[in-house]
């Protein structure tokens, strides 16, 4: 059973949070308590408000500018929450954990440039949630007492709260406009409070296997623990569906309260597609695998047809899918037609079959389902054009990492599909981009087309860095016409089209020396005109940072790259101490592994706990350094450590060739799997003066049913799990290692105990290490106090063990 802090108790704790305590230990010495801050310049930069978020309204009448605070305070992150079935629920709001506050929402007219500030105070706001015609919008406001619905009857009118209504956002979006765009479908919160815990346990927790049934599940966090947790889960996920009339604010309940995991209206507004969770629950898998029933229901609450009931899924194969219908959804361009996917291989990726999946179609509540098409690869979704004559079906091959996109006609299920393209998912240079979408008249997301042609926007990876683009594509022939490409020497990303002809584009542009601003681009001439400039309050501190893309090669011929940043005020001839920051990625093909995915032409933006903060403390940073692990899906990790060492040796050699870095004073760092990489290289090489490992997993026997892209279990490949686990080689870690971890980490596999046990192992062998647990933080660090303390720890560690590193003998593990 979980202990839930009462609101009164939480309020009593808050005054002490400003003092705080991060648990930090180094050898036998306990470090100073209390929160620390990094050098003043770093604090100023990470506390500077970010540029406003920008989004276009559906009909491009308005540009929405959303200003947010840089970081929440610790009292927000530390709010009491429940850990239930893989979720973290705020019991007071009936939603997920809170984050940064919205400070202001401004609507800028695209017709005349006038600006209208939405009349709401700073707070935890979500939205605007627009009607498809830009006529009105909704906002969600999360307060201490729940989630409120606010409505603005016109874009420039003052939003008003819908009285007597609080929402439940535990299992998904609490609000959506119905197809008539006059009413909203909401999930209404019901009974307040929560089931009290039993004074004494009702009995032991019992689990039992079923002989012969394999339930090989990955490592999940925040699972249900006992019967009281089950009661809490049911209580907080149960909601009442209701319809809100936007004009009258009248609220009408639909059906009975239930644990609704998803709900959507038919395009013609006649029916609701409702999926509900039901018991029995599980103690070993999250709520996404709990039993479900999916049905069609009318607005009077009558069930018109039960489509599917799925059992508890504890035995789904690793990397597999559920059997039976999955992904049941409406075709947005037909009145009331449903599609779904069914596995033809029993959901098992290891099964040898000609076709993995079959996509089915149901044209009405009384119709019989029929086959639409089969897919040789695993089907991962459909997207539809606004004209209704085309659907793109995406599927992937798990073994080869290939992706296939087929074109079908949803109006004619008998018509065979045609191949649009097939490519390696890891081939950045060959990525055709993602289809550009828009909102249809009923509010559904559809592919934007004109005269039978669609639009693709992509990152535009090249050997010199990313150059985003927008193409017009004929799906019948595959022919393309380039409408826009990022200018040479800049980084420009597509925001949206500004006209119906799709010839005027809104683009965010920046360079390594110029902060981002918005411009318009004429697709026919390429002419750019300034549209909107943002104030960057950190620009004066980071403008002197320089960076360049460095290409190099490891000893087996795999090409690598990384971006070398130099701090403001760097003088030619200096050899600086440096930090190498990386994250290993798996590739099947060498040609994919060596591709550049960096953006060296972007303006430096240092936020949160970014390692780039060390640039403001006089260090060079070699960022996003290539650390590929190349090989077949079920074999790449056989040489994991050897490949890491090759990557690291090549990176150090590349830094040496620049003449700008003192390679005897280089640290290695990473977050999550990057931390795992760091600890491994601390154990198996002497290339680095020190290491910084944040929120990592170091003992792979604690993730015995696979991790990352490793599909083999511990019992299938025990020697690989042992070789890859730095905990098993802690006696070899003889360089100083800083371990930072969120004390409330909920990421799969990266339990806080991973850092605690590695620290104890290093300490037990006389090594040099420091452990910092950040209270209330999860896998990433959010609170202002935590972020500043993390950066202070990193600066101090680099100063002690890298900048001021004593001379020593050459290592033996290189």
């Amino acid at each position: 059973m979980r202990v839930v802090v009462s609101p009164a108790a939480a309020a009593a704790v808050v005054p002490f949070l400003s003092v705080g305590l991060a648990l930090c230990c180094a050898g036998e010495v306990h470090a100073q308590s209390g929160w620390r801050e990094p050098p003043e310049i770093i604090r100023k930069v990470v506390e500077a408000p970010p540029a406003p978020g920008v989004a276009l309204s559906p009909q491009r009448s308005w540009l929405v500018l959303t200003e947010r605070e840089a970081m929440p305070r610790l009292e927000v992150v530390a709010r009491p929450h429940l850990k239930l079935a893989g979720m973290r629920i705020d019991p007071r709001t009936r939603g997920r954990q809170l984050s940064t506050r919205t400070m202001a929402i401004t609507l800028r007219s695209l017709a005349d440039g006038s600006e209208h500030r939405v009349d709401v105070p700073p707070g935890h706001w979500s939205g605007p949630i627009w009607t498809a015609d830009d006529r009105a919008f909704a906002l969600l406001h999360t307060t201490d007492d729940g989630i409120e619905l606010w409505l603005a009857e016109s874009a420039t009118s003052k939003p008003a709260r819908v009285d007597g209504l609080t929402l439940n956002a535990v299992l998904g979006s609490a609000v959506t406009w119905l197809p008539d765009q006059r009413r909203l479908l909401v999930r209404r919160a019901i009974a307040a409070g929560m089931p009290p815990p039993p004074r004494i346990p009702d009995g032991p927790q019992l689990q039992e296997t079923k002989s012969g049934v394999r339930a090989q599940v990955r490592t999940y966090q925040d699972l249900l623990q006992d019967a009281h947790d089950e009661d809490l889960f049911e209580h907080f996920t149960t909601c009442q569906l209701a319809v809100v009339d936007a004009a009258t604010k009248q609220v009408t309940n639909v059906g009975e309260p239930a644990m609704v995991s998803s709900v959507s209206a038919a395009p013609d507004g006649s029916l609701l597609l409702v999926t509900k969770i039901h018991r029995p629950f599980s103690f070993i898998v999250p709520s996404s695998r709990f039993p479900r029933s999916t049905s069609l229901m009318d607005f009077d609450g009558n069930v018109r047809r039960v489509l599917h009931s799925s059992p508890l899924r504890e035995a789904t194969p690793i990397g597999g899918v559920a059997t039976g219908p999955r992904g049941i959804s409406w075709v947005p361009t037909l009145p009331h037609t449903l599609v779904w996917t069914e596995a033809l291989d029993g959901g098992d990726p290891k099964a040898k079959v000609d076709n993995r999946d079959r996509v089915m179609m149901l044209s009405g509540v009384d119709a019989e389902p029929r086959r639409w098409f089969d897919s040789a690869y695993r089907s991962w979704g459909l997207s539809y054009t606004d004209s209704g004559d085309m659907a793109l079906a995406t599927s992937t091959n798990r073994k080869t990492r290939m992706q296939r996109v087929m074109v079908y006609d949803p109006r004619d299920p008998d018509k065979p599909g045609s191949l649009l393209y097939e490519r390696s998912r890891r081939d950045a240079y060959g990525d055709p981009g993602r289809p550009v979408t828009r909102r249809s008249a009923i509010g559904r997301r559809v592919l934007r087309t004109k005269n039978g042609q669609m639009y693709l926007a992509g990152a535009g990876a090249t050997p010199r860095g990313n150059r985003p683009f927008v193409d017009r594509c004929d799906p019948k022939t595959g022919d393309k016409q380039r409408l826009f490409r990022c200018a040479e020497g800049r980084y420009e990303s597509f925001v949206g089209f500004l006209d119906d002809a799709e010839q005027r584009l809104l683009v965010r542009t920046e360079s390594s020396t110029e902060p981002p601003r918005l411009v318009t681009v004429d697709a026919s001439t390429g002419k750019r005109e300034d549209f909107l400039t943002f104030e960057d309050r950190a620009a004066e501190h980071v403008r002197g940072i320089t960076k360049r893309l460095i290409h190099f090669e490891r000893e087996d011929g795999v090409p690598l790259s990384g971006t070398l940043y130099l701090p403001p005020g760097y003088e030619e001839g200096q050899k600086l101490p440096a930090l190498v920051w990386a994250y290993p990625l798996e590739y099947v093909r060498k040609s994919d592994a060596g591709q550049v995915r960096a953006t060296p032409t972007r303006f430096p933006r240092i936020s949160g706990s970014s390692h780039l903060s060390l640039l403001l403390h006089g260090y060079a940073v070699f960022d996003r350094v290539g650390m590929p692990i190349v090989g077949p899906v079920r074999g790449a990790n056989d040489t994991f450590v050897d490949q890491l060492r090759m990557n690291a040796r090549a990176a150090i050699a590349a830094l040496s060739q620049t003449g700008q870095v003192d390679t005897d004073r280089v640290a290695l760092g990473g977050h999550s799997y990057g931390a795992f990489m760091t600890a491994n290289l601390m154990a198996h090489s002497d290339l680095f003066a020190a290491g910084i490992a944040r929120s990592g997993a170091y003992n792979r026997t604690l993730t015995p049913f696979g991790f990352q892209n490793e599909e083999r279990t511990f019992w299938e490949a025990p020697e690989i799990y042992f070789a890859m686990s730095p905990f098993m080689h802690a006696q070899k870690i003889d360089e100083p290692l800083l371990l930072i971890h969120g004390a409330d980490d909920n990421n799969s596999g990266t339990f806080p105990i991973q850092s605690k046990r590695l620290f104890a192992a290093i300490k037990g062998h006389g090594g040099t290490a420091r452990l910092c647990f950040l209270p209330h933080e999860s896998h990433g660090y959010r609170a202002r106090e935590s972020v500043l303390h993390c950066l202070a720890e990193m600066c101090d560690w680099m100063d002690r063990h890298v900048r001021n590193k004593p001379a020593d003998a050459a290592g033996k593990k290189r």
Side-chain angles (χ1 to χ4, degrees):
M1 185 179 69
R2 311 295 170 76
V3 176
V4 179
V5 182
S6 69
V13 172
V14 167
F16 295 97
L17 295 178
S18 60
V19 178
L21 171 65
L23 171 63
C24 299
C25 308
E28 297 295 329
V29 180
H30 286 273
Q32 70 273 25
S33 62
W35 296 107
R36 301 171 57 202
E37 294 188 355
E40 179 72 6
I41 187 174
I42 294 179
R43 185 190 63 77
K44 286 183 177 180
V45 167
V46 299
E47 286 186 333
V54 298
L56 290 168
S57 61
Q59 297 304 316
R60 298 162 293 188
S61 304
W62 301 95
L63 180 69
V64 182
L65 304 171
T66 305
E67 300 173 42
R68 294 188 179 276
E69 62 183 346
M71 297 171 284
R73 302 291 301 201
L74 185 57
E75 54 259 34
V76 173
V77 175
R79 282 175 63 95
H81 60 271
L82 302 172
K83 302 175 182 180
L84 300 172
M87 299 183 294
R88 295 192 168 180
I89 300 169
D90 188 318
R92 294 195 63 179
T93 68
R94 277 176 165 71
R96 298 299 180 92
Q97 289 179 287
L98 296 178
S99 186
T100 54
R101 291 180 302 157
T102 297
M103 307 310 292
I105 302 173
T106 302
L107 306 181
R108 181 184 175 91
S109 170
L110 293 177
D112 59 18
S114 61
E115 292 190 351
H116 168 72
R117 185 149 178 162
V118 179
D119 189 5
V120 294
H124 294 283
W125 294 90
S126 299
I129 305 167
W130 291 95
T131 56
D133 59 3
D134 287 0
R135 185 192 73 260
F137 63 82
L139 293 169
L140 300 185
H141 184 212
T142 303
T143 72
D144 281 341
D145 297 320
I147 304 173
E148 303 169 343
L149 174 62
W150 290 57
L151 295 174
E153 296 178 357
S154 68
T156 57
S157 64
K158 181 178 180 178
R161 184 180 63 195
V162 178
D163 292 331
L165 178 67
T166 56
L167 303 176
N168 184 318
V170 171
L171 289 177
S173 175
V175 172
T176 184
W177 288 96
L178 286 169
D180 62 14
Q181 302 297 291
R182 303 285 172 177
R183 299 173 299 154
L184 300 101
L185 180 64
V186 304
R187 303 188 201 206
R188 191 173 192 174
I190 51 174
M194 67 181 73
R199 188 174 63 84
I200 58 174
D202 296 330
Q205 183 200 99
L206 298 174
Q207 299 184 55
E208 186 174 349
T209 66
K210 185 176 181 180
S211 181
V213 177
R214 293 188 177 188
Q216 299 183 347
V217 298
R218 289 288 178 100
T219 305
Y220 298 109
Q221 311 269 69
D222 296 345
L223 300 177
L224 300 180
Q225 299 295 311
D226 51 33
H228 181 55
D229 272 5
E230 293 182 303
D231 292 342
L232 289 172
F233 175 82
E234 183 168 8
H235 176 81
F236 283 104
T237 58
T238 297
C239 68
Q240 172 67 62
L241 294 179
V243 172
V244 179
D245 187 300
T248 66
K249 309 297 189 295
Q250 181 179 347
V251 182
T252 305
N253 290 342
V254 177
E256 298 298 323
M259 293 180 281
V260 178
S261 64
S262 66
V263 58
S264 61
D268 64 2
S270 61
L271 295 168
L272 294 174
L273 175 66
V274 183
T275 298
K276 302 176 181 178
I277 296 175
H278 56 82
R279 291 177 184 254
F281 303 144
S282 171
F283 296 144
I284 67 171
V285 294
S287 62
S288 59
R289 296 194 177 195
F290 287 1
R292 279 168 163 72
S293 63
T294 301
S295 59
L296 293 175
M297 186 172 73
D298 61 30
F299 282 84
D300 292 324
N302 302 309
V303 174
R304 299 286 302 279
R305 179 169 181 166
V306 176
L307 296 170
H308 179 59
S309 293
S310 60
L312 177 65
R313 296 192 293 115
E314 291 184 337
T316 300
I318 294 174
V321 298
T323 56
R326 70 179 195 273
I328 305 175
S329 61
W330 299 106
V331 177
T333 54
L334 296 174
H336 41 249
T337 296
L338 292 164
V339 294
W340 64 80
T341 304
E342 297 182 9
L344 299 177
D345 58 1
D348 186 355
K350 296 180 183 178
K352 295 182 179 180
V353 294
D354 291 334
N355 291 304
R356 292 274 169 209
D357 282 333
R358 172 166 293 166
V359 176
M360 304 292 292
M361 179 177 283
L362 181 72
S363 59
V365 66
D366 297 319
E368 289 299 316
R370 56 160 298 167
R371 171 188 172 278
W372 186 3
F373 61 86
D374 291 348
S375 174
Y377 295 169
R378 182 71 73 208
S379 178
W380 287 114
L382 289 155
S383 50
Y384 303 85
T385 59
D386 48 8
S387 56
D389 60 351
M390 185 173 67
L392 300 186
T394 302
S395 60
T396 59
N397 184 315
R398 185 176 177 86
K399 183 177 181 179
T400 64
R401 301 288 191 260
M402 296 297 288
Q403 178 187 71
R404 179 179 291 171
V405 175
M406 299 287 294
V407 179
Y408 294 95
D409 187 342
R411 304 169 306 175
D412 184 2
D414 294 320
K415 185 177 180 179
S418 59
L419 178 67
L420 181 61
Y421 64 81
E422 183 167 357
R423 56 177 288 272
S424 167
R425 294 179 61 197
R426 292 292 200 185
D427 177 15
Y429 294 167
D431 186 353
R434 293 178 177 272
V436 177
T437 63
R438 71 171 185 88
R439 292 266 300 281
S440 69
I442 61 169
R444 302 300 166 87
R445 184 65 62 181
V446 292
L447 305 182
R448 181 182 293 277
T449 61
K450 190 176 184 64
N451 299 325
Q453 297 189 319
M454 56 188 289
Y455 299 88
L456 301 170
T462 76
R464 298 177 62 183
N466 288 347
R467 292 185 64 189
F469 64 86
V470 177
D471 285 347
R472 181 186 289 123
C473 173
D474 186 334
K476 295 180 181 179
T477 64
D479 294 340
K480 297 177 184 178
Q481 175 191 359
R482 181 136 297 176
L483 299 181
F484 161 78
R485 189 184 189 192
C486 168
E488 185 76 34
R490 302 190 66 83
Y491 182 78
E492 298 180 319
S493 55
F494 173 68
V495 176
F497 290 112
L498 294 177
D499 62 349
D500 292 335
E502 280 80 36
Q503 288 295 302
R504 190 164 172 257
L505 292 73
L506 184 63
V507 168
R508 183 186 178 103
T509 182
E510 61 190 285
S511 74
S512 59
T513 58
E514 297 177 15
R517 68 182 193 275
L518 293 179
V519 298
T520 60
V521 178
D522 186 314
S524 60
T525 65
K527 182 181 178 181
R528 288 157 167 76
E529 294 184 357
D530 285 341
F531 182 82
L532 187 61
T533 300
F534 304 119
E535 179 185 8
D536 190 328
R537 300 181 189 177
E540 62 177 304
H541 301 298
V542 301
R543 200 180 297 275
I545 292 172
T546 60
K547 55 180 174 175
R548 62 188 175 101
L549 186 64
I550 294 179
H551 295 269
F552 53 106
E553 190 175 279
R554 75 183 194 187
E555 55 211 62
D556 64 350
V558 174
L560 305 174
S561 63
T563 303
L564 178 61
Y565 289 77
L566 297 176
Y570 172 78
E571 296 181 2
E572 198 61 41
Q574 284 182 293
K575 285 195 172 185
L576 299 175
L579 172 68
V580 172
W581 196 265
Y583 188 98
L585 292 171
E586 297 93 340
Y587 299 88
V588 174
R589 308 190 311 184
K590 286 186 177 182
S591 58
D592 293 345
Q595 293 179 352
V596 175
R597 295 165 175 83
T599 51
T601 53
R602 298 197 73 167
F603 188 74
R605 170 63 185 164
I606 300 175
S607 60
S609 57
S610 172
H611 52 283
L612 295 178
S613 296
L614 287 165
L615 289 162
L616 305 177
H617 198 47
Y619 291 90
V621 176
F622 199 18
D623 192 31
R624 299 192 66 177
V625 176
M627 287 281 172
I629 306 300
V630 185
V633 171
R634 289 180 63 86
N637 282 336
D638 293 354
T639 56
F640 180 83
V641 171
D642 290 338
Q643 292 198 57
L644 281 186
R645 282 195 294 234
M646 283 195 291
N647 295 330
R649 284 195 292 265
I652 291 294
L655 288 176
S656 178
Q657 290 177 6
T658 67
Q660 297 169 317
V661 171
D662 181 351
T663 54
D664 287 329
R665 294 186 296 155
V666 176
L668 176 67
H671 191 95
S672 194
Y673 208 51
F676 175 67
M677 166 207 73
T678 298
N680 261 299
L681 283 168
M682 293 297 104
H684 298 294
S685 79
D686 282 317
L687 293 164
F688 301 97
I692 299 173
R694 304 190 329 197
S695 298
Y698 310 107
N699 182 351
R700 283 302 167 194
T701 67
L702 298 179
T703 54
F705 288 107
F707 53 91
Q708 294 292 108
N709 287 320
E710 178 55 66
E711 296 183 345
R712 295 168 294 184
T713 70
F714 168 76
W715 297 273
E716 290 177 293
E719 68 287 351
I720 302 304
Y721 278 66
F722 186 92
M724 291 180 68
S725 297
F727 175 80
M728 306 299 182
H729 308 280
Q731 76 279 9
K732 300 178 184 178
I733 299 178
D734 50 12
E735 292 85 17
L737 181 61
L738 172 62
L739 297 164
I740 303 176
H741 216 120
D744 207 18
D745 193 339
N746 69 341
N747 184 59
S748 179
T750 55
F751 312 96
I753 198 173
Q754 292 271 12
S755 288
K756 185 179 292 186
R757 300 315 301 158
L758 180 60
F759 173 78
I762 296 171
K763 181 177 179 180
H765 286 91
T768 301
R770 181 176 175 88
L771 173 63
C772 175
F773 271 174
L774 298 170
H776 304 290
E777 293 292 351
S778 186
H779 194 56
Y781 319 137
R782 299 188 297 141
R784 173 191 178 276
E785 294 85 345
S786 303
V787 167
L788 295 180
H789 190 98
C790 170
L791 297 177
E793 290 284 343
M794 293 171 64
C795 288
D796 181 65
W797 197 252
M798 292 290 290
D799 288 348
R800 289 165 57 190
H801 299 291
V802 180
R803 191 194 304 275
N804 301 315
K805 174 196 172 187
D808 55 12
K812 299 179 181 179
K813 293 184 287 187
R814 294 186 179 229

